[in-house]
Every structure is written in C-alpha cells, then in structure tokens.
PDB file of all heavy atoms in Angstrom:
ATOM      1  N   ILE T   9     139.502 -65.241 154.174  1.00 98.00           N
ATOM      2  CA  ILE T   9     138.158 -64.653 154.260  1.00 98.00           C
ATOM      3  C   ILE T   9     138.202 -63.169 153.918  1.00 98.00           C
ATOM      4  O   ILE T   9     139.070 -62.429 154.375  1.00 98.00           O
ATOM      5  CB  ILE T   9     137.570 -64.846 155.681  1.00 98.00           C
ATOM      6  CG1 ILE T   9     137.292 -66.324 155.943  1.00 98.00           C
ATOM      7  CG2 ILE T   9     136.283 -64.042 155.838  1.00 98.00           C
ATOM      8  CD1 ILE T   9     136.670 -66.596 157.310  1.00 98.00           C
ATOM      9  N   ARG T  10     137.236 -62.753 153.104  1.00 97.00           N
ATOM     10  CA  ARG T  10     136.998 -61.329 152.855  1.00 97.00           C
ATOM     11  C   ARG T  10     135.729 -60.950 153.617  1.00 97.00           C
ATOM     12  O   ARG T  10     134.675 -61.547 153.437  1.00 97.00           O
ATOM     13  CB  ARG T  10     136.849 -61.061 151.362  1.00 97.00           C
ATOM     14  CG  ARG T  10     138.128 -61.357 150.566  1.00 97.00           C
ATOM     15  CD  ARG T  10     137.863 -61.164 149.081  1.00 97.00           C
ATOM     16  NE  ARG T  10     137.568 -59.778 148.777  1.00 97.00           N
ATOM     17  CZ  ARG T  10     136.809 -59.396 147.743  1.00 97.00           C
ATOM     18  NH1 ARG T  10     136.232 -60.303 146.958  1.00 97.00           N
ATOM     19  NH2 ARG T  10     136.586 -58.111 147.516  1.00 97.00           N
ATOM     20  N   TRP T  11     135.840 -59.931 154.458  1.00 98.00           N
ATOM     21  CA  TRP T  11     134.793 -59.613 155.411  1.00 98.00           C
ATOM     22  C   TRP T  11     133.877 -58.501 154.921  1.00 98.00           C
ATOM     23  O   TRP T  11     134.341 -57.535 154.298  1.00 98.00           O
ATOM     24  CB  TRP T  11     135.414 -59.179 156.741  1.00 98.00           C
ATOM     25  CG  TRP T  11     136.269 -60.229 157.375  1.00 98.00           C
ATOM     26  CD1 TRP T  11     137.614 -60.428 157.187  1.00 98.00           C
ATOM     27  CD2 TRP T  11     135.834 -61.248 158.290  1.00 98.00           C
ATOM     28  NE1 TRP T  11     138.042 -61.498 157.934  1.00 98.00           N
ATOM     29  CE2 TRP T  11     136.978 -62.017 158.614  1.00 98.00           C
ATOM     30  CE3 TRP T  11     134.613 -61.569 158.871  1.00 98.00           C
ATOM     31  CZ2 TRP T  11     136.912 -63.092 159.498  1.00 98.00           C
ATOM     32  CZ3 TRP T  11     134.551 -62.635 159.751  1.00 98.00           C
ATOM     33  CH2 TRP T  11     135.685 -63.385 160.052  1.00 98.00           C
ATOM     34  N   VAL T  12     132.599 -58.628 155.231  1.00 97.00           N
ATOM     35  CA  VAL T  12     131.663 -57.504 155.149  1.00 97.00           C
ATOM     36  C   VAL T  12     131.648 -56.863 156.531  1.00 97.00           C
ATOM     37  O   VAL T  12     131.304 -57.520 157.518  1.00 97.00           O
ATOM     38  CB  VAL T  12     130.250 -57.966 154.743  1.00 97.00           C
ATOM     39  CG1 VAL T  12     129.270 -56.793 154.832  1.00 97.00           C
ATOM     40  CG2 VAL T  12     130.254 -58.519 153.330  1.00 97.00           C
ATOM     41  N   LEU T  13     132.028 -55.599 156.606  1.00 98.00           N
ATOM     42  CA  LEU T  13     132.112 -54.884 157.878  1.00 98.00           C
ATOM     43  C   LEU T  13     130.883 -53.992 158.022  1.00 98.00           C
ATOM     44  O   LEU T  13     130.623 -53.144 157.163  1.00 98.00           O
ATOM     45  CB  LEU T  13     133.390 -54.039 157.930  1.00 98.00           C
ATOM     46  CG  LEU T  13     134.702 -54.773 157.611  1.00 98.00           C
ATOM     47  CD1 LEU T  13     135.877 -53.797 157.674  1.00 98.00           C
ATOM     48  CD2 LEU T  13     134.916 -55.936 158.566  1.00 98.00           C
ATOM     49  N   ILE T  14     130.126 -54.189 159.104  1.00 98.00           N
ATOM     50  CA  ILE T  14     128.864 -53.481 159.290  1.00 98.00           C
ATOM     51  C   ILE T  14     128.945 -52.621 160.545  1.00 98.00           C
ATOM     52  O   ILE T  14     129.318 -53.101 161.618  1.00 98.00           O
ATOM     53  CB  ILE T  14     127.690 -54.479 159.414  1.00 98.00           C
ATOM     54  CG1 ILE T  14     127.659 -55.411 158.199  1.00 98.00           C
ATOM     55  CG2 ILE T  14     126.364 -53.741 159.542  1.00 98.00           C
ATOM     56  CD1 ILE T  14     126.654 -56.535 158.316  1.00 98.00           C
ATOM     57  N   GLY T  15     128.594 -51.348 160.399  1.00 95.00           N
ATOM     58  CA  GLY T  15     128.618 -50.433 161.539  1.00 95.00           C
ATOM     59  C   GLY T  15     127.636 -49.307 161.332  1.00 95.00           C
ATOM     60  O   GLY T  15     126.680 -49.422 160.558  1.00 95.00           O
ATOM     61  N   ASP T  16     127.869 -48.175 162.018  1.00 91.00           N
ATOM     62  CA  ASP T  16     126.993 -47.010 161.861  1.00 91.00           C
ATOM     63  C   ASP T  16     127.854 -45.766 161.726  1.00 91.00           C
ATOM     64  O   ASP T  16     129.073 -45.805 161.928  1.00 91.00           O
ATOM     65  CB  ASP T  16     126.027 -46.900 163.050  1.00 91.00           C
ATOM     66  CG  ASP T  16     126.757 -46.707 164.369  1.00 91.00           C
ATOM     67  OD1 ASP T  16     127.202 -45.577 164.639  1.00 91.00           O
ATOM     68  OD2 ASP T  16     126.897 -47.687 165.128  1.00 91.00           O
ATOM     69  N   ASP T  17     127.195 -44.651 161.350  1.00 87.00           N
ATOM     70  CA  ASP T  17     127.952 -43.420 161.102  1.00 87.00           C
ATOM     71  C   ASP T  17     128.008 -42.510 162.315  1.00 87.00           C
ATOM     72  O   ASP T  17     128.253 -41.312 162.198  1.00 87.00           O
ATOM     73  CB  ASP T  17     127.395 -42.667 159.891  1.00 87.00           C
ATOM     74  CG  ASP T  17     125.957 -42.183 160.084  1.00 87.00           C
ATOM     75  OD1 ASP T  17     125.367 -42.480 161.138  1.00 87.00           O
ATOM     76  OD2 ASP T  17     125.433 -41.508 159.185  1.00 87.00           O
ATOM     77  N   GLY T  18     127.790 -43.058 163.502  1.00 79.00           N
ATOM     78  CA  GLY T  18     127.952 -42.280 164.723  1.00 79.00           C
ATOM     79  C   GLY T  18     129.358 -42.470 165.263  1.00 79.00           C
ATOM     80  O   GLY T  18     129.674 -43.480 165.882  1.00 79.00           O
ATOM     81  N   GLN T  19     130.228 -41.542 165.010  1.00 69.00           N
ATOM     82  CA  GLN T  19     131.598 -41.545 165.529  1.00 69.00           C
ATOM     83  C   GLN T  19     132.599 -42.326 164.676  1.00 69.00           C
ATOM     84  O   GLN T  19     132.911 -41.891 163.581  1.00 69.00           O
ATOM     85  CB  GLN T  19     131.627 -42.008 166.992  1.00 69.00           C
ATOM     86  CG  GLN T  19     130.771 -41.147 167.925  1.00 69.00           C
ATOM     87  CD  GLN T  19     131.254 -39.718 168.040  1.00 69.00           C
ATOM     88  OE1 GLN T  19     132.424 -39.476 168.275  1.00 69.00           O
ATOM     89  NE2 GLN T  19     130.366 -38.772 167.862  1.00 69.00           N
ATOM     90  N   HIS T  20     133.056 -43.528 165.080  1.00 84.00           N
ATOM     91  CA  HIS T  20     134.327 -44.041 164.583  1.00 84.00           C
ATOM     92  C   HIS T  20     134.287 -45.252 163.645  1.00 84.00           C
ATOM     93  O   HIS T  20     135.328 -45.656 163.144  1.00 84.00           O
ATOM     94  CB  HIS T  20     135.230 -44.400 165.773  1.00 84.00           C
ATOM     95  CG  HIS T  20     135.535 -43.242 166.668  1.00 84.00           C
ATOM     96  ND1 HIS T  20     136.135 -42.079 166.221  1.00 84.00           N
ATOM     97  CD2 HIS T  20     135.311 -43.064 167.998  1.00 84.00           C
ATOM     98  CE1 HIS T  20     136.284 -41.237 167.237  1.00 84.00           C
ATOM     99  NE2 HIS T  20     135.783 -41.805 168.318  1.00 84.00           N
ATOM    100  N   ASP T  21     133.149 -45.889 163.443  1.00 90.00           N
ATOM    101  CA  ASP T  21     133.143 -47.113 162.642  1.00 90.00           C
ATOM    102  C   ASP T  21     133.697 -46.904 161.239  1.00 90.00           C
ATOM    103  O   ASP T  21     134.463 -47.727 160.728  1.00 90.00           O
ATOM    104  CB  ASP T  21     131.731 -47.698 162.556  1.00 90.00           C
ATOM    105  CG  ASP T  21     131.332 -48.436 163.828  1.00 90.00           C
ATOM    106  OD1 ASP T  21     132.217 -48.682 164.669  1.00 90.00           O
ATOM    107  OD2 ASP T  21     130.145 -48.754 163.986  1.00 90.00           O
ATOM    108  N   GLU T  22     133.318 -45.799 160.603  1.00 93.00           N
ATOM    109  CA  GLU T  22     133.795 -45.541 159.246  1.00 93.00           C
ATOM    110  C   GLU T  22     135.320 -45.422 159.202  1.00 93.00           C
ATOM    111  O   GLU T  22     135.974 -45.984 158.313  1.00 93.00           O
ATOM    112  CB  GLU T  22     133.156 -44.269 158.695  1.00 93.00           C
ATOM    113  CG  GLU T  22     131.669 -44.391 158.400  1.00 93.00           C
ATOM    114  CD  GLU T  22     131.055 -43.051 158.051  1.00 93.00           C
ATOM    115  OE1 GLU T  22     130.906 -42.216 158.969  1.00 93.00           O
ATOM    116  OE2 GLU T  22     130.736 -42.844 156.870  1.00 93.00           O
ATOM    117  N   GLU T  23     135.886 -44.691 160.147  1.00 93.00           N
ATOM    118  CA  GLU T  23     137.344 -44.535 160.183  1.00 93.00           C
ATOM    119  C   GLU T  23     138.039 -45.873 160.425  1.00 93.00           C
ATOM    120  O   GLU T  23     139.018 -46.213 159.747  1.00 93.00           O
ATOM    121  CB  GLU T  23     137.738 -43.548 161.282  1.00 93.00           C
ATOM    122  CG  GLU T  23     137.325 -42.119 161.043  1.00 93.00           C
ATOM    123  CD  GLU T  23     137.778 -41.232 162.198  1.00 93.00           C
ATOM    124  OE1 GLU T  23     138.991 -41.202 162.471  1.00 93.00           O
ATOM    125  OE2 GLU T  23     136.919 -40.607 162.835  1.00 93.00           O
ATOM    126  N   ILE T  24     137.537 -46.608 161.399  1.00 95.00           N
ATOM    127  CA  ILE T  24     138.167 -47.884 161.758  1.00 95.00           C
ATOM    128  C   ILE T  24     138.111 -48.853 160.589  1.00 95.00           C
ATOM    129  O   ILE T  24     139.116 -49.475 160.214  1.00 95.00           O
ATOM    130  CB  ILE T  24     137.470 -48.492 162.994  1.00 95.00           C
ATOM    131  CG1 ILE T  24     137.707 -47.609 164.227  1.00 95.00           C
ATOM    132  CG2 ILE T  24     137.976 -49.907 163.260  1.00 95.00           C
ATOM    133  CD1 ILE T  24     136.880 -47.992 165.432  1.00 95.00           C
ATOM    134  N   TYR T  25     136.938 -48.997 159.982  1.00 96.00           N
ATOM    135  CA  TYR T  25     136.784 -49.933 158.877  1.00 96.00           C
ATOM    136  C   TYR T  25     137.586 -49.486 157.653  1.00 96.00           C
ATOM    137  O   TYR T  25     138.207 -50.299 156.965  1.00 96.00           O
ATOM    138  CB  TYR T  25     135.302 -50.063 158.498  1.00 96.00           C
ATOM    139  CG  TYR T  25     134.450 -50.782 159.529  1.00 96.00           C
ATOM    140  CD1 TYR T  25     133.049 -50.709 159.478  1.00 96.00           C
ATOM    141  CD2 TYR T  25     135.019 -51.518 160.570  1.00 96.00           C
ATOM    142  CE1 TYR T  25     132.253 -51.359 160.414  1.00 96.00           C
ATOM    143  CE2 TYR T  25     134.234 -52.170 161.509  1.00 96.00           C
ATOM    144  CZ  TYR T  25     132.844 -52.085 161.423  1.00 96.00           C
ATOM    145  OH  TYR T  25     132.061 -52.740 162.342  1.00 96.00           O
ATOM    146  N   GLY T  26     137.567 -48.175 157.374  1.00 93.00           N
ATOM    147  CA  GLY T  26     138.306 -47.682 156.213  1.00 93.00           C
ATOM    148  C   GLY T  26     139.800 -47.887 156.347  1.00 93.00           C
ATOM    149  O   GLY T  26     140.470 -48.315 155.395  1.00 93.00           O
ATOM    150  N   GLU T  27     140.339 -47.603 157.528  1.00 93.00           N
ATOM    151  CA  GLU T  27     141.770 -47.794 157.751  1.00 93.00           C
ATOM    152  C   GLU T  27     142.141 -49.277 157.698  1.00 93.00           C
ATOM    153  O   GLU T  27     143.203 -49.638 157.177  1.00 93.00           O
ATOM    154  CB  GLU T  27     142.174 -47.181 159.088  1.00 93.00           C
ATOM    155  CG  GLU T  27     142.100 -45.663 159.094  1.00 93.00           C
ATOM    156  CD  GLU T  27     142.357 -45.068 160.466  1.00 93.00           C
ATOM    157  OE1 GLU T  27     142.679 -45.845 161.396  1.00 93.00           O
ATOM    158  OE2 GLU T  27     142.224 -43.829 160.620  1.00 93.00           O
ATOM    159  N   PHE T  28     141.269 -50.126 158.220  1.00 96.00           N
ATOM    160  CA  PHE T  28     141.533 -51.563 158.158  1.00 96.00           C
ATOM    161  C   PHE T  28     141.558 -52.041 156.709  1.00 96.00           C
ATOM    162  O   PHE T  28     142.419 -52.854 156.323  1.00 96.00           O
ATOM    163  CB  PHE T  28     140.456 -52.316 158.947  1.00 96.00           C
ATOM    164  CG  PHE T  28     140.553 -53.816 158.839  1.00 96.00           C
ATOM    165  CD1 PHE T  28     141.592 -54.508 159.447  1.00 96.00           C
ATOM    166  CD2 PHE T  28     139.604 -54.541 158.128  1.00 96.00           C
ATOM    167  CE1 PHE T  28     141.687 -55.899 159.350  1.00 96.00           C
ATOM    168  CE2 PHE T  28     139.684 -55.918 158.029  1.00 96.00           C
ATOM    169  CZ  PHE T  28     140.724 -56.602 158.639  1.00 96.00           C
ATOM    170  N   ALA T  29     140.636 -51.543 155.889  1.00 94.00           N
ATOM    171  CA  ALA T  29     140.608 -51.925 154.472  1.00 94.00           C
ATOM    172  C   ALA T  29     141.876 -51.483 153.747  1.00 94.00           C
ATOM    173  O   ALA T  29     142.397 -52.193 152.882  1.00 94.00           O
ATOM    174  CB  ALA T  29     139.376 -51.335 153.794  1.00 94.00           C
ATOM    175  N   LEU T  30     142.401 -50.304 154.112  1.00 93.00           N
ATOM    176  CA  LEU T  30     143.636 -49.813 153.502  1.00 93.00           C
ATOM    177  C   LEU T  30     144.853 -50.615 153.961  1.00 93.00           C
ATOM    178  O   LEU T  30     145.745 -50.920 153.168  1.00 93.00           O
ATOM    179  CB  LEU T  30     143.846 -48.333 153.844  1.00 93.00           C
ATOM    180  CG  LEU T  30     143.011 -47.307 153.080  1.00 93.00           C
ATOM    181  CD1 LEU T  30     143.236 -45.922 153.654  1.00 93.00           C
ATOM    182  CD2 LEU T  30     143.362 -47.328 151.586  1.00 93.00           C
ATOM    183  N   ASP T  31     144.871 -50.961 155.244  1.00 93.00           N
ATOM    184  CA  ASP T  31     146.035 -51.639 155.819  1.00 93.00           C
ATOM    185  C   ASP T  31     146.103 -53.120 155.457  1.00 93.00           C
ATOM    186  O   ASP T  31     147.187 -53.719 155.497  1.00 93.00           O
ATOM    187  CB  ASP T  31     146.031 -51.495 157.346  1.00 93.00           C
ATOM    188  CG  ASP T  31     146.211 -50.058 157.793  1.00 93.00           C
ATOM    189  OD1 ASP T  31     146.703 -49.251 156.987  1.00 93.00           O
ATOM    190  OD2 ASP T  31     145.844 -49.742 158.945  1.00 93.00           O
ATOM    191  N   THR T  32     144.959 -53.728 155.154  1.00 93.00           N
ATOM    192  CA  THR T  32     144.917 -55.163 154.861  1.00 93.00           C
ATOM    193  C   THR T  32     144.220 -55.396 153.521  1.00 93.00           C
ATOM    194  O   THR T  32     143.077 -55.876 153.493  1.00 93.00           O
ATOM    195  CB  THR T  32     144.201 -55.944 155.978  1.00 93.00           C
ATOM    196  OG1 THR T  32     142.871 -55.422 156.132  1.00 93.00           O
ATOM    197  CG2 THR T  32     144.940 -55.826 157.294  1.00 93.00           C
TER     198      THR T  32
END
C-alpha cells in the first residue's frame, strides 16, 4: 500500500510525514 498522509501545519505533522516518506 502507498498511503496518502493527511494532517495540518500546526506543529509536527509535516515533519513526521516527511521523515516517514524519506525512511520508507
């Protein structure tokens, strides 16, 4: 599965999702 990751720009979602995309 390739996931669409949905969050908001308040605090950490961008960092978490971006690092996950790089690591996997």
Side-chain angles (χ1 to χ4, degrees):
I9 292 182
R10 296 176 65 208
W11 300 90
V12 173
L13 308 179
I14 305 173
D16 62 78
D17 63 357
Q19 302 296 310
H20 300 302
D21 282 348
E22 290 172 288
E23 292 180 57
I24 294 170
Y25 290 165
E27 291 174 5
F28 174 70
L30 283 174
D31 295 340
T32 58

